[in-house]
């Protein structure tokens, strides 16, 4: 317990029991997150969910289903399955990872499944690594020897509707099977997992601490998250929202002429994504309602303001905000404005629809059902 207490004291204010309890919870979440990949085997790879709707740490995107598989940059791997009906499927070859057995590293190759050969039902059969094979009917991609992880992201606008991705990974330059992991290796990985808890929690808390230190409170910074777990080619805008009682924030942005995917989401001060199953704490391009002038406007407010694009912080006056444009012709910067919560409509277009409490309740129930119907990890 002495070790845990010293970690907590370094990450949270010991005089704040709420912050201390939530940081303690984050440490346990980090342990669970790390275990997902701590015993991954590059010879017997499997896509496992290091983050999810349960392990909602480090700003996990509510629209993404994530997976990570350990690989050997000198190996040859087969990816097969069916694409499904999501917005996209990105397969990221990475020289690192967020898990206990890696350090953060850059992307060394990206596969967009829509650029691959797909059958009539979306079937794919891809080889990664080695030499281009003779007679292989599917696609082939080289593998950078630095690669140690394949990161998987598949994005969905309409949760629970349509077909989910089906994907399997296998190493084909070695036989299936193998001996149990040696005792010394198990001990080594458990040691790495123990050390990982503090590192991961520090990474999570450092995100908000750095933004506060740099003055990104109620204003946004631009980032591309290159080499730190982000998807190449995305525009990210992020910052801290901080409200006083009786205040609300309006997010106002133009839309790119073309955009493949976009969303906005709220996170708590520890960079956990606010529970998106039971709160409308995020909106994507399929869920959001654009105003008659073509702009997107959303409202962060403690109480439901009765507008379609309410972003619910679940009772928090402070947290972090992120908006991302993916595959966009431009990356418009959102504008932020603090207004009295009682006068929100005076700062929105006059034709902004009214959402009644009954309509909100039904919308949230649809959201809950869709979040549970879809594949979650």
């Amino acid at each position: 317990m002495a070790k845990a207490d010293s970690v907590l004291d370094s990450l949270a204010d010991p005089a704040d029991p709420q912050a201390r309890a939530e940081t303690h919870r984050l440490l346990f979440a980090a342990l669970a997150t790390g275990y997902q990949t701590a015993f991954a085997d590059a010879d017997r790879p499997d896509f496992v969910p290091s983050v999810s709707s349960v392990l909602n740490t480090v700003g996990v995107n509510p629209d993404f289903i994530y997976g990570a598989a350990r690989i050997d940059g000198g190996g040859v791997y087969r990816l097969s399955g069916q694409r499904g009906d999501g917005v996209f499927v990105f397969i990221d070859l990475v020289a690192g990872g967020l898990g206990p057995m890696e350090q953060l590293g850059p992307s060394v190759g990206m596969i967009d499944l829509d650029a691959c050969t797909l059958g009539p039902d979306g079937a794919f059969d891809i080889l990664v690594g080695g030499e281009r094979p003779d007679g292989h009917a599917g696609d082939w991609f080289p593998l950078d020897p630095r690669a140690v992880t394949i990161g998987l992201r598949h994005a969905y606008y309409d949760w629970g509707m349509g077909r989910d991705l089906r994907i399997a990974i296998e190493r084909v330059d070695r036989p299936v099977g193998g001996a149990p992991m040696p005792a010394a290796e198990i001990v080594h990985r458990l040691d790495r997992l123990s050390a990982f808890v503090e590192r991961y929690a520090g990474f999570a808390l450092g995100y908000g601490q750095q933004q506060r230190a740099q003055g990104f409170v109620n204003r946004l910074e631009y980032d591309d998250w290159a080499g730190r777990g982000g998807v190449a080619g995305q525009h990210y805008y992020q910052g801290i929202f901080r409200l006083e009682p009786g205040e609300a924030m309006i997010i106002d942005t133009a839309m790119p002429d073309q955009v493949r995917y976009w969303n906005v989401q709220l996170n708590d001060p520890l960079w956990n994504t606010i529970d998106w199953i039971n709160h409308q704490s995020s909106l994507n391009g399929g869920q959001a309602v654009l105003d008659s002038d073509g702009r997107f406007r959303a409202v962060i407010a403690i109480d439901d303001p009765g507008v379609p694009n309410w972003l619910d912080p679940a009772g928090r006056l402070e947290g972090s905000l992120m908006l991302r444009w993916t595959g966009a012709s431009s990356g418009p910067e959102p504008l932020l404005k603090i207004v009295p919560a009682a006068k929100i409509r005076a700062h929105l277009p006059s034709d902004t629809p009214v959402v009644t409490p009954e309509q909100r309740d039904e919308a949230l129930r649809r959201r809950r059902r869709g979040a549970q119907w879809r594949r979650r990890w």
Side-chain angles (χ1 to χ4, degrees):
M1 286 299 295
K3 173 65 172 176
D5 287 342
S6 66
V7 172
L8 283 166
D9 289 343
S10 70
L11 298 177
D13 181 358
D16 185 340
Q18 183 71 28
R20 188 175 179 83
E22 292 187 3
T23 305
H24 210 158
R25 181 179 178 180
L26 175 62
L27 295 177
F28 279 91
L31 183 64
T33 292
Y35 186 83
Q36 304 280 342
T37 58
F39 291 91
D41 186 339
D43 291 342
R44 294 174 282 190
D46 183 18
F47 285 114
V48 297
S50 54
V51 290
S52 66
S53 58
V54 176
L55 300 174
N56 60 325
T57 56
V58 295
V60 54
N61 186 327
D63 303 318
F64 288 5
I65 307 300
Y66 296 83
R70 184 78 173 177
I71 60 169
D72 172 1
V76 182
Y77 295 88
R78 180 188 183 194
L79 300 166
S80 60
Q82 292 178 309
R83 182 200 182 282
D85 300 324
V87 182
F88 62 72
V89 180
F90 288 160
I91 299 165
D92 196 10
L93 311 174
V94 190
L98 283 173
M101 304 308 295
E102 310 94 13
Q103 297 291 332
L104 287 174
S107 172
V108 292
M110 174 69 76
I111 301 172
D112 181 344
L113 205 54
D114 288 339
C116 297
T117 303
L118 301 177
D121 59 353
F124 59 90
D125 194 343
I126 301 167
L127 285 180
V128 180
E131 299 293 329
R132 180 183 292 275
D134 294 331
H136 176 60
D139 297 283
W140 170 83
F141 294 89
L143 184 58
D144 190 298
R146 296 173 294 167
V148 296
T149 302
I150 294 184
L152 175 67
R153 290 174 174 86
H154 38 124
Y156 299 87
Y157 270 168
D158 196 357
W159 301 352
M161 298 293 105
R163 300 173 303 157
D164 290 324
L165 168 73
R166 297 177 63 186
I167 188 169
I169 180 172
E170 54 193 299
R171 185 164 188 173
V172 297
D173 61 328
R174 291 189 179 175
V176 176
M181 185 174 290
E185 181 64 18
I186 293 174
V187 171
H188 169 64
R189 295 191 183 212
L190 288 174
D191 286 343
R192 290 289 296 265
L193 177 58
S194 298
F196 170 77
V197 171
E198 182 175 1
R199 175 164 65 90
Y200 189 86
F203 174 65
L205 292 178
Y207 171 78
Q209 290 170 348
Q210 182 177 9
Q211 290 182 326
R212 292 181 187 91
Q214 295 176 342
F216 291 106
V217 176
N218 293 339
R219 67 189 188 96
L220 302 176
E221 65 170 334
Y222 176 85
D223 197 348
D224 62 6
W225 278 90
R228 291 173 290 134
V231 173
Q234 286 196 136
H235 302 279
Y236 294 89
Y237 289 97
Q238 58 192 18
I240 303 297
F241 70 87
R242 180 180 293 164
L243 304 175
E244 297 295 332
E247 289 184 339
M249 174 182 285
I250 294 176
I251 306 166
D252 182 350
T253 182
M255 296 292 297
D257 292 335
Q258 296 179 338
V259 59
R260 187 175 185 183
Y261 165 86
W262 67 276
N263 93 317
V264 60
Q265 68 182 70
L266 302 182
N267 314 301
D268 71 17
L270 277 64
W271 202 18
N272 302 303
T273 309
I274 290 175
D275 173 12
W276 64 83
I277 295 180
N278 298 294
H279 299 270
Q280 188 172 282
S281 60
S282 70
L283 290 166
N284 63 42
Q287 298 166 340
V289 176
L290 299 186
D291 289 327
S292 56
D293 60 1
R295 298 181 69 87
F296 168 71
R297 295 178 179 89
V299 177
I300 302 175
I302 296 294
D303 297 317
D304 185 352
V307 300
N309 296 331
W310 176 35
L311 288 171
D312 180 4
R316 297 183 180 276
L317 290 169
E318 181 173 330
S320 65
L321 162 69
M322 176 177 278
L323 183 146
R324 53 169 67 75
W325 310 110
T326 302
S329 55
S330 64
E333 180 175 0
L335 305 175
L336 306 180
K337 184 178 182 180
I338 302 294
V339 303
K343 298 183 178 179
I344 288 172
R345 287 198 170 267
H347 299 272
L348 296 174
S350 59
D351 59 352
T352 300
V354 174
V355 177
T356 67
E358 295 76 18
Q359 290 171 329
R360 183 74 70 197
D361 182 70
E362 178 53 33
L364 289 172
R365 291 181 183 278
R366 287 196 305 270
R367 185 180 179 96
R368 286 196 90 251
R369 291 192 295 268
Q372 294 175 81
W373 282 341
R374 69 173 177 167
R375 175 177 175 175
R376 298 171 69 184
W377 41 70

